[in-house]
């Protein structure tokens, strides 16, 4: 898996999106960093986050962690993974 794109409604102020993946049912989750090298996508009103993975694997599981702010929360509606 080369990278993953997470598509969402505009990200509310103070919210963030994290991306984790599990390789070959290893039992441990690895955090993927954004294309900019950050741990989380935090761009207010951002609609697409790109997370770098860059690993070969036979089985790929993903976990998206959405951090709310007050009564608002990110709303993810699609994830695309790119394999090379």
């Amino acid at each position: 898996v080369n990278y993953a794109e997470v598509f969402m409604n505009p990200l509310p102020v103070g919210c963030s999106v994290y991306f984790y993946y599990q390789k070959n049912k290893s039992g441990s989750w690895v955090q993927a960093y954004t294309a900019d090298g950050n741990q989380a996508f935090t761009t207010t009103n951002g609609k697409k986050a790109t997370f770098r993975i860059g690993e070969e694997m036979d089985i790929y599981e993903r976990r998206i962690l959405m951090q709310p702010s007050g009564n608002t929360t990110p709303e993810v509606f699609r994830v695309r993974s790119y394999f090379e």
Side-chain angles (χ1 to χ4, degrees), residues 6-83:
V6 178
F7 297 87
M8 64 197 88
N9 281 334
L11 189 67
V13 174
C15 293
S16 53
V17 177
Y18 296 82
F19 190 97
Y20 295 84
Y21 64 93
Q22 184 173 226
K23 178 180 178 179
N24 299 327
K25 297 205 176 275
S26 65
S28 61
W29 292 89
V30 177
Q31 184 172 10
Y33 290 86
T34 65
D36 297 335
N38 298 314
Q39 288 185 332
F41 179 75
T42 58
T43 304
T44 300
N45 292 320
K47 295 182 179 181
K48 181 178 87 168
T50 302
F51 291 91
R52 295 178 286 149
I53 298 171
E55 287 200 59
E56 280 190 35
M57 57 190 93
D58 295 320
I59 301 170
Y60 163 65
E61 297 173 79
R62 56 193 178 208
R63 175 188 291 172
I64 298 170
L65 175 65
M66 297 175 285
Q67 184 70 44
S69 176
N71 289 331
T72 59
T73 187
E75 187 176 347
V76 172
F77 58 86
R78 179 174 59 202
V79 177
R80 285 187 178 164
S81 300
Y82 294 87
F83 302 86

